[in-house]
Amino acid sequence: MRTVISTAFISLDGVVEAPGGEPGYRNSGWTFKEVAFVPEAFEIKGREQLESTAILMGRVSYEAFSTVWPAMEEFAHYKTLPKYVVSTTLTEDRLVSDWGETTILRSLDEVAALKESDGGPIIVHGSATLNHGLSDAGLIDRYHLLVYPLLLGAGKRLFSTTDKDTQKLKPVEHEVYSNGVQKQVFDVVR
């Protein structure tokens, strides 16, 4: 069974919307506009790239990342990994040709089947709506969070608001950096 890892830049109040400067969100770019850059806080991002064997994302994140990441040297390894996009509306003709193998999954059942297949860790970037579904279906095994000391108010949240039983998490790694960013890694307790 493969491990599904949700990774996110997240504000203290749970917002994950537009950390990199995507248009349309009032506080867009909050990860670099509001908090000083400290290189060591991003060590986990490099490690994620090296340890991941596939990328899973929703359609909106795929459309955002696929126009930028293929040309970015810092994401060169991701170009070689298989990508899986969960969408009921994305069509094959909308996939980019310069980012490697990409498969469209139409349901969380297909994600569950992917998770049951052979292979290593699957990393989930962005994809707030997909994260809600994955969490509600019990398909996330680990969270890699870089928590920013900011309260953003409105915006897309990482965690589902579904009324469900308590889900326990086990902290497995944490660190606080000089800029106030906290690395928090949790395994989901089953």
Side-chain angles (χ1 to χ4, degrees):
M1 180 182 296
R2 301 174 82 169
T3 302
V4 174
I5 301 168
S6 173
T7 182
F9 297 113
I10 186 168
S11 68
L12 190 58
D13 57 349
V15 174
V16 293
E17 187 167 1
E22 302 81 2
Y25 176 63
R26 186 170 82 97
N27 293 316
S28 184
W30 49 269
T31 58
F32 60 89
K33 287 182 182 175
E34 304 296 338
V35 177
F37 177 74
V38 175
E40 56 271 19
F42 297 94
E43 174 276 334
I44 193 167
K45 293 300 174 188
R47 190 168 14 127
E48 287 171 354
Q49 264 196 84
L50 297 176
E51 294 174 357
S52 300
T53 61
I55 302 172
L56 179 66
M57 64 199 100
R59 180 193 52 81
V60 172
S61 291
Y62 173 78
E63 289 175 345
F65 297 150
S66 68
T67 60
V68 180
W69 282 13
M72 294 179 73
E73 185 60 36
E74 57 267 39
F75 297 113
H77 182 65
Y78 280 158
K79 199 169 188 173
T80 67
L81 298 181
K83 281 150 277 312
Y84 297 90
V85 183
V86 182
S87 174
T88 58
T89 59
L90 185 66
T91 55
E92 294 283 335
D93 63 314
R94 302 281 302 168
L95 298 177
V96 299
S97 61
D98 64 342
W99 204 23
E101 175 191 346
T102 303
T103 303
I104 300 171
L105 304 177
R106 298 294 181 195
S107 69
L108 291 178
D109 288 338
E110 290 185 50
V111 175
L114 173 64
K115 183 177 171 167
E116 292 292 327
S117 68
D118 291 334
I122 302 167
I123 196 84
V124 182
H125 284 284
S127 308
T129 301
L130 176 60
N131 265 282
H132 297 173
L134 293 171
S135 175
D136 290 348
L139 295 173
I140 296 176
D141 300 295
R142 176 173 274 198
Y143 290 95
H144 287 185
L145 306 176
L146 285 179
V147 182
Y148 281 69
L150 302 170
L151 299 175
L152 298 174
K156 291 180 186 175
R157 301 285 201 264
L158 179 65
F159 300 106
S160 167
T161 58
T162 300
D163 186 11
K164 59 185 176 183
D165 291 338
T166 300
Q167 185 171 44
K168 294 180 182 176
L169 304 175
K170 176 184 175 187
V172 293
E173 189 178 338
H174 67 279
E175 193 160 347
V176 179
Y177 302 98
S178 60
N179 61 357
V181 171
Q182 299 175 40
K183 172 177 61 179
Q184 297 181 4
V185 177
F186 296 98
D187 280 343
V188 175
V189 177
R190 305 250 187 252

